[in-house]
Amino acid sequence: MTGPVSDTVDALVVGIDGVIGRALAARLAAGGTAVTGTSRRVGAPRAGVIPLDLAEPPDRWVLPARIGTAWLLAGVTAQAACRTDPTSTGRINVTHTVALAQRLAAAGAFVVFASTNLVLDGSRPRQPADSPLRPLGAYGAQKAAAEEGLRTLADAAAVVRLSKVLAPDFVLIRRWVEDLRAGRPVTPFSDLMLAPTSLDFAVEALVRVGRARRGGVYQVSAADELSYADLAHGVARRMAVDPGLVRPTTSVASGIVLDALPRHATMDASRLEQDLSLPPPPPEAALDACLTPDERQPGGGKDG
Ligand SMILES: NC(=O)c1ccc[n+]([C@@H]2O[C@H](COP(=O)([O-])OP(=O)(O)OC[C@H]3O[C@@H](n4cnc5c(N)ncnc54)[C@H](OP(=O)(O)O)[C@@H]3O)[C@@H](O)[C@H]2O)c1
């Protein structure tokens, strides 16, 4: 159980226990905004958190009567789960997500929906926001379907397509750091591309889109892309460890069938730059933000 739902909420973070939701709520609160969050983790009452499970029928949801801005960040984010259980994940990520967005908009909210570069086919770099939706995997297909559903809200909703967001606790990088520090080799994929932004950058973009209250699609992407092998080399350089410990392989050679293996990961982020003064950062900035000062060695850290 949680406390009673306030009638009026200025900022609602749907999915406050997720990586991005937690960081967004902290950023809004630090800027003086009163934040309410939703969580499916029901237990002891938590101030400012109301229960909401997207797997439940919408008539069970209890929402504030008036909402200023709602960031819709909750959903099943594990690509394998979307592939293996498309029915229940589709209910959460598409049908109920769109139903929730409609309820939020009916309560007066401007809705900011987090989508992904995986709604696009990655056939060329810096894919424009108005490219046809051609998702490569089940997760991307669900996000694309949700985007389509949100179009009925017109200017009451903005879609923010995020490329990979590198949070400081990103498991893969943490594991590489541990292995490289211990002198163990790492085997990153050279055929999987990403155009990463830092968690702080992605959160700033979400905040500015929420403040601007203009509908349509925004794309949040690094200016250039890297492979996971490039990323691991970047980690090794910053730690000033033997670069020979990075032994790239491919997903194909490893026998791993990925849900989506787009050729390119960058998206055209010019709307974010022009309308909201956030130019796309270099991908290395996201990596820098992931390493602690004592992981970055003096003399390490020069790219290319
Ligand atoms: N991180 C990225 O690189 C990235 C890139 C592109 C797009 N995005 C999108 O950005 C959004 C936030 O991503 P994230 O990285 O913060 O994901 P995350 O850490 O996996 O957070 C997702 C949140 O959704 C909640 N959730 C899952 N199923 C739910 C349900 N049935 N009802 C209510 N809540 C449910 C989870 O709850 P629990 O905490 O209880 O598990 C979790 O808090 C997602 O929509 C994701 O698709 C993220």
Side-chain angles (χ1 to χ4, degrees):
M1 284 296 297
T2 53
V5 180
S6 316
D7 272 358
T8 302
V9 157
D10 287 338
L12 183 71
V13 176
V14 178
I16 200 166
D17 289 323
V19 172
I20 298 176
R22 202 176 322 121
L24 172 66
R27 162 73 177 73
L28 290 168
T33 303
V35 183
T36 298
T38 78
S39 174
R40 64 173 174 166
R41 301 183 198 178
V42 282
R46 288 158 67 189
V49 178
I50 56 179
L52 189 141
D53 187 344
L54 281 165
E56 286 190 336
D59 59 10
R60 297 235 190 111
W61 303 335
V62 180
L63 295 165
R66 301 288 313 158
I67 304 166
T69 306
W71 285 266
L72 197 25
L73 305 171
V76 181
T77 54
Q79 296 190 35
C82 299
R83 173 170 33 85
T84 55
D85 187 1
T87 306
S88 42
T89 59
R91 193 177 309 120
I92 292 167
N93 283 353
V94 186
T95 326
H96 287 180
T97 291
V98 174
L100 177 60
Q102 286 166 342
R103 289 265 298 271
L104 297 169
F110 180 75
V111 177
V112 181
F113 172 65
S115 186
T116 165
N117 64 302
L118 296 176
V119 299
L120 307 175
D121 64 10
S123 56
R124 60 172 164 135
R126 302 198 178 98
Q127 251 181 314
D130 62 358
S131 306
L133 296 183
R134 281 203 199 103
L136 296 182
Y139 163 76
Q142 291 178 354
K143 287 289 194 182
E147 282 196 21
E148 307 245 12
L150 259 67
R151 283 200 192 136
T152 57
L153 298 183
D155 285 343
V159 167
V160 180
R161 288 187 194 139
L162 301 168
S163 60
K164 182 73 197 164
V165 177
L166 290 190
D169 58 358
F170 181 42
V171 172
L172 187 60
I173 292 186
R174 288 293 106 219
R175 207 182 304 137
W176 287 343
V177 167
E178 215 175 279
D179 285 343
L180 292 171
R181 193 185 268 149
R184 290 190 295 267
V186 298
T187 53
F189 292 155
S190 57
D191 58 346
L192 184 59
M193 305 303 291
L194 70 168
T197 66
S198 68
L199 181 58
D200 281 352
F201 186 87
V203 162
E204 187 59 32
L206 288 163
V207 169
R208 290 192 195 192
V209 171
R211 283 207 187 115
R213 301 180 79 82
R214 284 194 289 268
V217 177
Y218 292 84
Q219 301 196 128
V220 180
S221 164
D224 298 297
E225 58 201 8
L226 304 167
S227 68
Y228 276 80
D230 296 327
L231 196 67
H233 278 299
V235 173
R237 266 195 301 276
R238 280 160 182 75
M239 293 175 68
V241 298
D242 174 8
L245 289 172
V246 178
R247 302 186 190 157
T249 181
T250 62
S251 62
V252 177
S254 310
I256 291 177
V257 180
L258 295 167
D259 288 300
L261 194 59
R263 234 169 350 121
H264 298 287
T266 45
M267 294 178 286
D268 174 10
S270 51
R271 186 179 183 198
L272 199 65
E273 177 165 18
Q274 282 155 17
D275 292 6
L276 302 178
S277 308
L278 266 185
E284 294 80 11
L287 178 52
D288 284 329
C290 273
L291 297 182
T292 62
D294 62 279
E295 287 164 352
R296 277 183 252 118
Q297 293 304 305
K302 288 283 161 265
D303 287 302

